[in-house]
């Protein structure tokens, strides 16, 4: 078995996550704050700030743009395809905003530059990487079981210790999630039965309905950065009277720009990284408006879709949703029995806490792969698959620790995501070759932001709040806050 030498360093350095939990600091939600959930509202809980549980909105007709004063030209405007007033810049320096529709190649032209062997999964190699993640997670779990006799998880005094344990174990276990994700894409093995068995078991253990997610994630790939049909982290269009932008403005007015943005960022970080993943599975939070409210455990839409022909689980997928539920029900039964026998404290220490960390990593990856203050989204008339895929952002996850151990443990899911979004059947261990080919042939289109991950996540938490239409794209509006966001 070809376990990389990094695996030893990976297990020892995963504890570095504990010192970088600020990487999970904040962004904004994409929905209105005034819509009720049952008898309560998040507006009540958070004083009118973003509600990720609200029903999905229609994309409004954009207001006419005011004429700009030529004497106030931003020196960066020369290369931009649109007016950039009120747009903050990330480490991309507005690169995505400089692109025009004619700049994007056809899908076949991109595929032609990627070596053909990149599209061939190797079962033995995939199983080798799976063994790294299984052994790493099993080792962490064994350590946790032995810790029970020393640190009582029912005591508040041991909460910091178990929190640190969850951070380490969840970080290692995230590698399992990535490989199950690869199974869902068909990039793990040509043996479909083996591939689906691995994906189904791992995702069920993590309370992810395998086939349901397989379908919704394929939709996410097809409609990346699409304002109506996008499946995750679809921005909230600006509303004149309420919504996220008004909530952020209220905090800024009350606390000042710096402290107001920090408060907004903390709230958005919590809502996305902690609440966001279960909210997505249960009600389709942050998904586009076209499919209505959705649930990954129930095949039919919870509300009437705007575009019924774009239903999330059509035809035979409905049966697959309920096949997925069998695995979820089995795991929930085991967890319930465990809790009944040994208490909530032990279950949360060894399972619940690490799972929360896995979910936070997942949301952070997805959020940063497709969002930043100068990365636009597109309406139905202006979106296509290639344009969406090439608005994916690769980031320096290999620099999260001195050895690149976390990136190794997570199978480079964040450093090679542009290639993955172009063709998700490329196995992770061949994605770097594909990435290099795309970068070499299309350097003007390849998006890589060198901003350190904690800083990038913090910027997105504060600055990706609501969008307005400019030309053929929807852009994040941050008038007067550019200086605070451009770090």
């Amino acid at each position: 078995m070809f376990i990389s030498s990094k695996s030893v360093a990976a297990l020892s350095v995963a504890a570095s996550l504990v010192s970088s939990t600020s990487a999970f600091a904040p962004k904004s939600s994409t929905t209105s704050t005034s819509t009720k959930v049952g008898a309560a509202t998040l507006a009540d809980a958070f004083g009118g700030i973003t509600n990720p549980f609200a029903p999905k909105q229609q994309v409004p007709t954009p207001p006419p743009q005011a004429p700009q004063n030529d004497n106030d030209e931003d020196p960066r405007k020369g290369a931009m395809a649109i007016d950039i007033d009120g747009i903050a810049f990330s480490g991309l320096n507005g690169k995505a905003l400089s692109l025009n529709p004619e700049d994007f190649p056809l899908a076949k032209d991109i595929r032609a530059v990627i070596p053909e062997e990149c599209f061939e999964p190797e079962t033995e190699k995939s199983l080798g990487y799976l063994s790294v993640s299984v052994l790493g997670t099993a080792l962490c779990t064994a350590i946790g079981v032995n810790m029970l006799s020393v640190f009582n998880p029912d005591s508040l005094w041991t909460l910091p210790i178990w929190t640190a344990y969850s951070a380490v174990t969840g970080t290692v276990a995230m590698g399992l999630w990535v490989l199950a994700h690869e199974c869902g894409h068909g990039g793990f093995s040509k043996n479909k039965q083996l591939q689906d068995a691995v994906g189904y078991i791992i995702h069920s253990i993590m309370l992810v309905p395998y086939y349901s997610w397989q379908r919704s994630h394929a939709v996410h790939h097809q409609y990346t950065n699409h304002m109506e049909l996008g499946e995750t982290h679809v921005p909230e269009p600006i509303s004149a009277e309420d919504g996220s932008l008004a909530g952020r403005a209220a905090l800024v007015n009350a606390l000042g720009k710096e402290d107001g943005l920090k408060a907004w960022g903390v709230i958005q970080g919590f809502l996305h990284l902690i609440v966001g993943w279960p909210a997505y599975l249960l009600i389709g939070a942050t998904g586009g408006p076209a499919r209505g409210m959705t649930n990954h455990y129930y095949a039919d839409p919870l509300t009437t879709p705007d575009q019924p022909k774009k239903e999330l689980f059509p035809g035979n997928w409905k049966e697959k949703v309920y096949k997925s539920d069998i695995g979820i029900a089995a795991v929930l039964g085991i967890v319930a029995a465990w809790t009944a026998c040994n208490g909530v404290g032990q279950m949360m220490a060894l399972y619940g806490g690490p799972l929360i960390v896995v979910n936070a990593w997942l949301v952070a990856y997805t959020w940063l792969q497709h969002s930043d203050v100068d990365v636009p989204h597109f309406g139905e008339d202006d979106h296509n698959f290639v344009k969406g895929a090439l608005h994916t952002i690769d980031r320096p996850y290999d620099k999260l620790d001195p050895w690149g151990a976390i990136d190794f443990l997570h199978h480079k899911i964040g450093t090679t995501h542009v290639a993955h979004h172009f063709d998700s059947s490329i196995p992770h261990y061949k994605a770097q070759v594909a990435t290099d080919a795309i970068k070499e042939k299309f350097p003007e289109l390849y998006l890589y932001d060198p901003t350190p991950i904690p800083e990038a996540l913090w910027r997105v938490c504060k600055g990706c709040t609501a969008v307005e239409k400019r030309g053929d794209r929807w852009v994040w509006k941050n008038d007067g806050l550019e200086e605070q966001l451009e770090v």
Side-chain angles (χ1 to χ4, degrees):
M1 186 164 54
F2 49 88
I3 299 174
S4 164
S5 60
K6 288 186 177 180
S7 59
V8 177
L11 295 176
S12 64
V13 81
S16 65
L17 176 71
V18 179
S19 64
S20 64
T21 51
S22 62
F24 292 137
K27 159 188 167 183
S28 72
S29 159
T30 60
T31 47
S32 169
T33 61
S34 58
T35 303
K36 291 189 177 181
V37 182
T41 70
L42 279 188
D44 295 331
F46 294 109
I49 294 172
T50 309
N51 177 1
F53 299 99
K56 302 167 185 179
Q57 306 181 46
Q58 294 283 349
V59 177
T61 302
Q65 296 297 309
Q68 301 298 317
N69 185 342
D70 292 337
N71 295 324
D72 296 329
E73 287 279 328
D74 188 313
R76 302 173 297 185
K77 286 185 178 180
M80 297 299 119
I82 60 167
D83 168 29
I84 62 169
D85 286 342
I87 299 177
F89 274 20
S90 70
L92 293 167
N93 292 316
K95 184 177 183 178
L97 298 175
S98 69
L99 303 175
N100 291 295
E102 60 271 17
D103 296 330
F104 294 93
L106 298 175
K108 64 182 181 65
D109 296 329
I110 301 176
R111 184 182 174 95
V113 307
I114 300 174
E116 198 61 34
E117 60 267 21
C118 288
F119 302 98
E120 295 293 322
E122 299 176 32
T123 301
E124 289 186 5
K125 187 171 284 190
S126 296
L127 290 172
Y129 282 104
L130 176 63
S131 70
V132 172
S133 293
V134 169
L135 291 173
T137 305
L139 176 60
C140 289
T141 302
I143 292 171
V145 170
N146 282 280
M147 286 169 58
L148 291 172
S149 60
V150 181
F151 305 105
N152 180 5
D154 293 319
S155 170
L156 286 177
W157 294 105
T158 64
L159 182 60
I161 294 171
W162 288 109
T163 299
Y165 169 80
S166 294
V168 174
T169 303
T171 296
V172 175
M174 180 62 192
L176 289 172
W177 208 109
V178 173
L179 293 175
H181 153 268
E182 196 153 281
C183 291
H185 280 302
F188 187 85
S189 173
K190 290 182 178 179
N191 184 330
K192 190 174 185 300
Q193 288 184 323
L194 171 66
Q195 180 171 258
D196 283 344
V198 171
Y200 189 96
I201 291 170
I202 293 174
H203 268 169
S204 294
I205 291 172
M206 295 183 177
L207 302 183
V208 178
Y210 176 68
Y211 293 113
S212 306
W213 176 86
Q214 182 183 51
R215 161 64 181 168
S216 67
H217 195 63
V219 170
H220 158 68
H221 273 250
Q222 183 177 357
Y223 295 107
T224 302
N225 284 34
H226 193 299
M227 283 295 294
E228 291 88 10
L229 294 168
E231 187 53 25
T232 60
H233 299 291
V234 176
E236 174 186 334
I238 289 175
S239 171
E241 297 179 357
D242 57 12
S244 297
L245 208 64
R248 186 179 70 174
L251 283 176
V252 169
N253 290 337
L255 303 175
K257 286 185 180 180
E258 185 174 348
D259 291 340
L261 277 178
K262 286 179 180 178
W264 177 260
V266 169
I267 292 168
Q268 294 308 311
F270 174 80
L271 290 177
H272 281 76
L273 300 176
I274 305 303
V275 181
W277 179 243
Y280 170 68
L281 292 178
L282 291 170
I283 60 171
T286 80
R291 297 183 187 86
M293 187 180 290
T294 59
N295 183 302
H296 279 67
Y297 307 98
Y298 180 70
D300 294 322
L302 301 179
T303 60
T304 303
D306 295 338
Q307 298 185 33
K309 292 184 179 180
K310 297 293 186 179
E311 185 180 349
L312 187 57
F313 302 117
N316 294 335
W317 283 103
K318 294 185 185 299
E319 181 181 349
K320 289 188 173 184
V321 169
Y322 299 119
K323 286 182 179 179
S324 303
D325 289 347
I326 295 172
I328 302 300
V331 172
L332 286 175
I334 293 171
V335 172
W338 176 10
T339 304
C341 294
N342 298 292
V344 173
Q346 184 184 118
M347 184 276 292
M348 286 301 298
L350 296 179
Y351 176 74
L355 184 59
I356 290 172
V357 173
V358 169
N359 293 344
W361 272 113
L362 169 62
V363 173
Y365 273 118
T366 308
W367 202 1
L368 288 179
Q369 284 157 356
H370 306 296
S371 303
D372 216 321
V373 290
D374 55 355
V375 176
H377 285 66
F378 300 90
E380 193 148 12
D381 294 335
D382 301 303
H383 183 276
N384 61 54
F385 169 76
V386 170
K387 188 184 289 186
L390 291 179
H391 276 80
T392 302
I393 312 159
D394 281 346
R395 296 187 183 271
Y397 287 93
D398 55 330
K399 296 179 175 60
L400 268 174
D401 60 80
W403 302 274
I406 291 176
D407 194 39
F408 168 76
L409 285 169
H410 296 174
H411 309 295
K412 298 179 73 67
I413 188 63
T415 53
T416 59
H417 209 70
V418 173
H420 171 73
H421 251 263
F422 172 70
D423 194 310
S424 56
S425 68
I426 298 174
H428 74 271
Y429 42 84
K430 297 182 177 182
Q432 188 61 60
V433 173
T435 297
D436 293 342
I438 293 172
K439 182 165 52 175
E440 180 180 355
K441 182 64 176 179
F442 303 103
E444 72 284 359
L445 298 176
Y446 175 73
L447 298 184
Y448 175 83
D449 185 349
T451 306
I453 302 304
E455 293 179 21
L457 183 55
W458 186 229
R459 179 179 61 226
V460 167
C461 288
K462 296 183 294 181
C464 292
T465 300
V467 292
E468 67 177 2
K469 184 75 178 290
R470 297 191 189 179
D472 65 344
R473 62 203 81 187
W474 291 80
V475 298
W476 300 101
K477 188 173 176 63
N478 286 296
D479 296 81
L481 301 175
E482 298 94 320
E483 184 177 344
Q484 285 72 29
L485 294 171
E486 293 176 354
V487 294

